[in-house]
Amino acid sequence: MILIKNGKIITMTGENYENGCVLIDDGKIINVDKYINELDIMEVIDAKGGWVMPGIIESHCHIGLSEEGIRFEGDDINESTTPITAHLRAIDAINPLDEAFKDAIEGGITSVMTGQGSANVCGGKFTFIKTSGTSIDDMIVKEDAAMKVAFGGNPKRVYSSKSISPSTRMATAAILREALTNALNYKNKKEIAKQKGEYFDIDLKQECFIDVLDKKIPLKAHAHRADDILTAIRIAKEFDLDMTLDHCTEGHLIAQYIKNSGFSAIVGPSLTNRSKVELKNRTFETAGKLNKNGVQVAITTDHPVIPIQYLPICAGFAAKKGLGVDEALKAITINAAKICGVDDRLGSIEAGKDADIAIFTGNPMEVFTETLYTIIDGNMVYAKN
């Protein structure tokens, strides 16, 4: 049992405590209050006025698949051999011993959505994991968390260089529509066979789309340019799918369209140069403009594009450019949890949720702030010496 006391408790529930306590037992938060009676059986952490927050959440990255300091041997981010690889699962490539996990923990980042890159029209399933562990199977929060799809320059660049489709945005959209149509036909045939009690051959390349078609997991759509974002929305609506708009670099140019779509945006990486044409309108103002138009927003580093430990700093720049402090903190905690479909366990400090907590000397979005403690599932995984 762990008692955190004398902290500024930022709960993300709307009720904060200037000087409060959090009680943890068996990996869960069991109480949050102004005062909790201290018992001998408790391990006590004195926050000394520091900020006690839900563990920070990275909602889109490639940690463990694109390893720190390793080239080909640690690069498992893209299987760029065919445009549709929906049957690939990120959990089969994540290396928990990637050095970046240590950086994440020291930055107060306790969980991540990680998975494939954007070389393919459909890259496979992302997974949502905690950042502490030596076996990926012990780190999983949501094994199949989203299906990665990509629009814009990346798929056409990769496959035009191989002289195969797609080499245009039209072909990217058509290939995805074809894959979804094939999966829908497969699903219907499977259901008919089950009703008739007939044998049915399982096809893994089609089977993996069923959770998407049933809205159990969303499409995770890589889209920078405004027209690519609108194409992603168009296709998701055609097939009645859930979706998150990842990167959403020009989202501020079409904010009302995104609001009307009902989809959420994961904005970033913004702390980077304009390395390609699709990023010419990159700005830290995007998140704030989307938020002001009623779009639910999270912030991403797209690690390793930006090192994952700088996620709070990226949120800070977004706060400065119009998102505001409160909404920026939500973008890396409760909003990120909601968008990733894990808010039943993560994203806020309240009884019953996982004891994933980060304690900082102050506001983590400020560059001089230091991480004092990182707690995951009630275990102390980092303490500043």
Side-chain angles (χ1 to χ4, degrees), residues 8 59 68 179 223 315 331:
K8 180 174 181 175
S59 51
E68 290 277 296

Side-chain angles (χ1 to χ4, degrees), residues 28-96:
K28 297 290 183 180
I29 298 166
I30 61 173
N31 195 13
V32 187
D33 212 333
K34 290 182 179 178
Y35 176 79
I36 297 173
N37 191 36
E38 186 176 328
L39 304 176
D40 291 339
I41 61 171
M42 295 175 181
E43 176 186 349
V44 178
I45 299 173
D46 189 343
K48 298 180 180 179
W51 285 38
V52 179
M53 287 185 49
I56 292 174
I57 299 170
E58 169 57 87
S59 51
H60 175 109
C61 69
H62 311 286
I63 192 170
L65 292 97
S66 183
E67 296 181 47
E68 290 277 296
I70 304 175
R71 295 184 183 274
F72 174 77
E73 293 83 355
D75 182 5
D76 290 299
I77 193 171
N78 285 306
E79 180 64 33
S80 50
T81 53
T82 185
I84 300 291
T85 55
H87 56 303
L88 302 186
R89 303 164 78 210
I91 59 167
D92 296 321
I94 300 168
N95 179 9

Side-chain angles (χ1 to χ4, degrees), residues 75-380:
D75 182 5
D76 290 299
I77 193 171
N78 285 306
E79 180 64 33
S80 50
T81 53
T82 185
I84 300 291
T85 55
H87 56 303
L88 302 186
R89 303 164 78 210
I91 59 167
D92 296 321
I94 300 168
N95 179 9
L97 302 182
D98 179 2
E99 283 292 312
F101 282 107
K102 179 182 176 183
D103 293 335
I105 289 169
E106 292 182 4
I109 297 160
T110 57
S111 58
V112 297
M113 176 81 92
T114 187
Q116 298 84 350
S118 51
N120 294 347
V121 176
C122 181
K125 288 183 177 178
F126 264 58
T127 192
F128 193 97
I129 60 173
K130 301 292 180 80
T131 52
S132 177
T134 54
S135 168
I136 192 66
D137 301 286
D138 297 332
M139 300 161 68
I140 291 170
V141 176
K142 197 169 187 180
E143 186 169 314
D144 295 330
M147 178 67 80
K148 179 67 179 287
V149 294
F151 298 85
N154 284 9
K156 60 179 284 187
R157 172 181 53 80
V158 170
Y159 287 98
S160 63
S161 69
K162 300 176 187 292
S163 298
I164 60 176
S165 186
S167 62
T168 64
R169 283 176 163 80
M170 294 181 292
T172 296
I175 287 169
L176 181 57
R177 281 193 180 95
E178 181 181 42
L180 290 168
T181 300
N182 290 341
L184 184 59
N185 291 338
Y186 171 88
K187 178 177 180 283
N188 291 336
K189 290 175 182 177
K190 183 180 179 181
E191 289 173 353
I192 291 170
K194 183 178 179 180
Q195 291 170 5
K196 293 182 177 180
E198 297 175 349
Y199 176 80
F200 187 80
D201 285 330
I202 298 297
D203 182 344
L204 289 179
K205 293 184 179 181
Q206 302 297 336
E207 192 75 20
C208 56
F209 273 116
I210 290 180
D211 282 350
V212 176
L213 295 170
D214 289 343
K215 291 188 171 183
K216 292 181 179 178
I217 64 172
L219 290 178
K220 192 171 183 61
H222 166 109
H224 286 285
R225 231 168 64 173
D227 57 337
D228 293 324
I229 295 167
L230 292 171
T231 298
I233 291 171
R234 187 179 311 116
I235 291 174
K237 293 296 185 182
E238 285 175 20
F239 288 87
D240 188 26
L241 307 176
D242 287 336
M243 183 172 66
T244 66
L245 295 166
D246 293 48
H247 306 309
C248 209
T249 303
E250 292 187 348
H252 57 283
L253 303 179
I254 51 168
Q256 193 57 48
Y257 288 95
I258 295 174
K259 163 62 177 175
N260 293 342
S261 77
F263 297 131
S264 299
I266 300 173
V267 178
S270 302
L271 191 63
T272 184
N273 69 332
R274 295 177 178 87
S275 57
K276 53 185 178 180
V277 173
E278 291 175 332
L279 302 183
K280 69 176 182 178
N281 289 311
R282 176 197 56 72
T283 172
F284 274 107
E285 295 178 3
T286 303
K289 289 181 178 180
L290 288 172
N291 173 259
K292 284 178 173 58
N293 276 273
V295 178
Q296 183 170 239
V297 171
I299 303 290
T300 178
T301 62
D302 197 21
H303 176 91
V305 178
I306 302 167
I308 194 167
Q309 63 267 32
Y310 300 131
L311 177 58
I313 302 303
C314 293
F317 278 116
K320 177 182 177 181
K321 289 295 186 177
L323 184 57
V325 171
D326 290 343
E327 290 299 323
L329 289 173
K330 288 179 183 178
I332 54 174
T333 55
I334 189 61
N335 280 6
K338 289 176 179 178
I339 291 170
C340 293
V342 294
D343 55 302
D344 59 328
R345 293 178 56 180
L346 304 170
S348 60
I349 296 178
E350 53 186 318
K353 288 200 173 182
D354 291 5
D356 289 7
I357 292 175
I359 304 176
F360 302 96
T361 55
N363 187 335
M365 298 188 298
E366 296 176 349
V367 295
F368 291 109
T369 297
E370 295 182 294
T371 308
L372 295 174
Y373 303 96
T374 304
I375 298 168
I376 297 178
D377 291 326
N379 298 311
M380 182 77 68

